[in-house]
Amino acid sequence: MSPATSAVLLNEANEFLAEHPEVQFVDLLISDMNGVVRGKRIDRGSLLKVYEKGINLPASLFALDITGSTVESTGLGLDIGDADRVCKPIPGTLSMEPWQRRPTAQLLMTMHEMEGEPFFADPREVLRRVVQRFTDMGLTVCAAFELEFYLIDQENVNGRPQPPRSPISGKRPQAVQVYSIDDLDEYADCLRDIIDGAHIQGIPADAIVKESAPAQFEVNLNHVADPIKACDYAVLLKRLIKNTAYDHEMDTTFMAKPYPGQAGNGLHVHISLLDKDGNNIFAAENPLDNDALRHAIGGVLQTLPASMAFLCPNVNSYRRFGSQFYVPNAPSWGLDNRTVALRVPTGNPDALRIEQRVAGADANPYLLMASLLAGVHHGLTHQIEPGEPIEGNSYEQLEQSLPNNLRDALRTLDDSEVLNQYISPDYIDIFVACKEAELEEFETTISDLEYNWYLHTV
């Protein structure tokens, strides 16, 4: 870090502490492979030291499975003595945690080698390397997320979630009621606090929409001309939603498919590309006439099967798919068509963009974005045509062809020559090792359904 950069960061910390003399603690946060936020809590007196020197955390933080256990086959655990790396602050992410009773701030971190180079296994660094390809082309990626989640009761029924009772009516919602304003009113205090908390933390959330199941909602984030920052916002938003719900005696889930027979939770991404003058290179009166837009779509469609392990990284992720739930299961695209994998909203010719509609809310935003942008770059540089856009219901026109389970998705990722050119093969090996370890444990666990079916019948 240059002396000038260090001075700017220290100034940020000093100004924050002066503006918030009430702050007692600071949570230092870093997002692991699964998008789970981990880190340390320090007192305010140690913040300047963190800005000057960072904090040490083990490299194995990026070799954790969903339970938080180190997967030793990654080589990041005992093989390297569970050695530390240094985590440094991300400028502009220091903010208050509005849900805390004791005044507490938070600061997002990223991992580096002790010599200062970014650590290759940090998902944020995985994305940064892909984004650099666009920077080298003189292009800026503009991106935004739409994040779906369920409010759920803090008490489960036999280990299964249930909708929370409405603070107004005292009833549990049962109907779908998509876009219902009344359902927004039922949980208005919690939802309002989410938006207010986002504003306090500098997260550009502008709307909450009632989604397609009881107590399911979606938060829309505004576009920002920095895809890494867009992912930072998505990570911090999930934490904000969880903790705000706790304050209202509710819980939340971003699990891809928490309820059988109900819609799953998606994580849609909108992207466009700006030239050096800030013009959208996808802009066109007729999207079909824009070469850059078509080629970008073509590249994403070509890499979509190999990207599935990043878009849908868990066993449960694949339960979300189904035509009745608007989750595309084939590489497809269309204009203003919500049944396809890549939708092009066409309302404003200057704001043409690509909306990716496959990923689940359980995806790591950095890895999702990295794989999506890898496809865009591949399409632009190889001028890949996407074929004709789908009109009407794509589920009635296309057979399912994307991987429909985690094992096939991991194999497809591992074998992908294209993604291995954008994402370090060493990182892909770590990711696959972690997910295969989870898959092995899942497959050796005997489910209740197996006992119900087989214990007394075979």
Side-chain angles (χ1 to χ4, degrees):
M1 183 185 302
S2 69
T5 302
S6 179
V8 170
L9 287 175
L10 278 174
N11 187 54
E12 174 182 289
N14 278 311
E15 287 184 357
F16 183 86
L17 291 174
E19 291 173 5
H20 298 280
E22 76 280 10
V23 167
Q24 298 178 22
F25 304 102
V26 182
D27 289 341
L28 307 178
L29 312 174
I30 193 162
S31 177
D32 73 4
M33 174 183 292
N34 291 293
V36 176
V37 174
R38 305 186 186 275
K40 292 182 178 181
R41 175 168 292 173
I42 61 171
D43 62 50
R44 68 173 284 140
S46 300
L47 182 61
L48 294 181
K49 182 180 176 181
V50 168
Y51 270 84
E52 290 176 331
K53 298 181 178 180
I55 59 163
N56 289 351
L57 287 171
S60 59
L61 185 147
F62 296 116
L64 301 179
D65 64 16
I66 196 64
T67 70
S69 300
T70 301
V71 178
E72 292 296 343
S73 58
T74 62
L76 293 182
L78 297 177
D79 285 353
I80 60 171
D82 205 19
D84 281 342
R85 298 296 188 273
V86 61
C87 299
K88 299 180 180 180
I90 297 171
T93 63
L94 181 59
S95 64
M96 295 297 295
E97 295 179 347
W99 59 84
Q100 296 283 9
R101 294 182 181 178
R102 293 185 176 181
T104 305
Q106 66 180 26
L107 177 63
L108 207 56
M109 313 287 284
T110 186
M111 187 173 283
H112 295 254
E113 299 285 0
M114 290 300 186
E115 296 76 19
E117 289 297 311
F119 185 53
F120 83 100
D122 185 336
R124 201 173 189 274
E125 170 62 10
V126 172
L127 173 57
R128 189 195 67 79
R129 294 184 181 189
V130 178
V131 172
Q132 186 61 46
R133 305 277 192 114
F134 292 89
T135 303
D136 294 343
M137 295 174 67
L139 296 173
T140 298
V141 179
C142 191
F145 284 96
E146 296 174 353
L147 177 63
E148 294 175 348
F149 66 97
Y150 277 92
L151 290 174
I152 58 176
D153 202 291
Q154 289 185 330
E155 293 188 6
N156 295 331
V157 179
N158 298 322
R160 304 294 175 90
Q162 61 179 338
R165 293 188 183 278
S166 162
I168 295 177
S169 67
K171 299 177 180 178
R172 299 188 194 279
Q174 301 296 327
V176 171
Q177 301 295 357
V178 64
Y179 296 118
S180 169
I181 297 298
D182 289 343
D183 277 25
L184 292 177
D185 288 340
E186 294 282 354
Y187 302 98
D189 287 347
C190 177
L191 300 177
R192 183 67 256 175
D193 283 351
I194 289 172
I195 294 297
D196 289 346
H199 293 163
I200 290 171
Q201 296 193 321
I203 300 170
D206 69 348
I208 292 185
V209 176
K210 173 63 180 66
E211 270 296 335
S212 304
Q216 186 190 33
F217 302 92
E218 175 185 272
V219 178
N220 298 329
L221 293 171
N222 291 328
H223 286 78
V224 291
D226 183 339
I228 303 176
K229 184 175 290 186
C231 293
D232 292 342
Y233 289 144
V235 167
L236 295 176
L237 177 64
K238 288 180 74 170
R239 186 166 187 262
L240 170 68
I241 291 171
K242 285 176 178 287
N243 285 285
T244 303
Y246 293 151
D247 260 4
H248 289 266
E249 299 182 344
M250 290 182 284
D251 204 344
T252 55
T253 184
F254 298 89
M255 186 177 178
K257 187 74 169 181
Y259 295 111
Q262 297 286 5
N265 287 319
L267 182 60
H268 297 172
V269 188
H270 294 251
I271 62 165
S272 54
L273 299 177
L274 310 179
D275 64 19
K276 58 182 177 61
D277 296 319
N279 300 311
N280 179 11
I281 70 168
F282 292 161
E285 290 294 334
N286 182 354
L288 300 179
D289 294 336
N290 187 301
D291 291 343
L293 177 62
R294 291 198 324 274
H295 296 157
I297 292 170
V300 175
L301 293 180
Q302 189 175 101
T303 57
L304 194 54
S307 299
M308 284 294 287
F310 291 137
L311 307 185
C312 301
N314 300 304
V315 173
N316 176 261
S317 305
Y318 297 86
R319 302 190 189 281
R320 177 172 150 262
F321 287 80
S323 59
Q324 71 273 34
F325 299 123
Y326 289 92
V327 186
N329 51 23
S332 54
W333 77 287
L335 308 178
D336 289 323
N337 189 338
R338 286 184 167 85
T339 72
V340 295
L342 301 181
R343 170 178 172 255
V344 178
T346 61
N348 182 348
D350 292 329
L352 281 182
R353 59 195 184 275
I354 300 171
E355 179 192 7
Q356 181 279 142
R357 298 179 55 81
V358 178
D362 56 338
N364 181 312
Y366 302 105
L367 300 178
L368 159 58
M369 185 71 76
S371 60
L372 176 60
L373 293 182
V376 170
H377 188 274
H378 176 65
L380 291 175
T381 53
H382 290 79
Q383 299 184 348
I384 297 173
E385 291 292 342
E388 292 299 312
I390 298 292
E391 296 182 7
N393 189 345
S394 71
Y395 306 110
E396 296 177 350
Q397 303 176 50
L398 301 173
E399 294 290 332
Q400 176 177 315
S401 58
L402 293 172
N404 63 0
N405 62 83
L406 183 56
R407 185 172 298 284
D408 285 347
L410 292 172
R411 288 170 177 163
T412 308
L413 169 63
D414 211 17
D415 293 341
S416 173
E417 293 183 7
V418 174
L419 284 192
N420 274 267
Q421 294 172 13
Y422 287 90
I423 298 174
S424 165
D426 290 338
Y427 183 76
I428 290 178
D429 287 345
I430 290 171
F431 181 87
V432 170
C434 281
K435 291 302 169 182
E436 284 184 339
E438 291 177 14
L439 190 56
E440 181 179 356
E441 183 172 351
F442 177 84
E443 291 179 341
T444 56
T445 300
I446 301 175
S447 68
D448 290 342
L449 186 60
E450 290 172 88
Y451 285 120
N452 290 337
W453 279 3
Y454 306 124
L455 186 62
H456 297 295
T457 57
V458 294

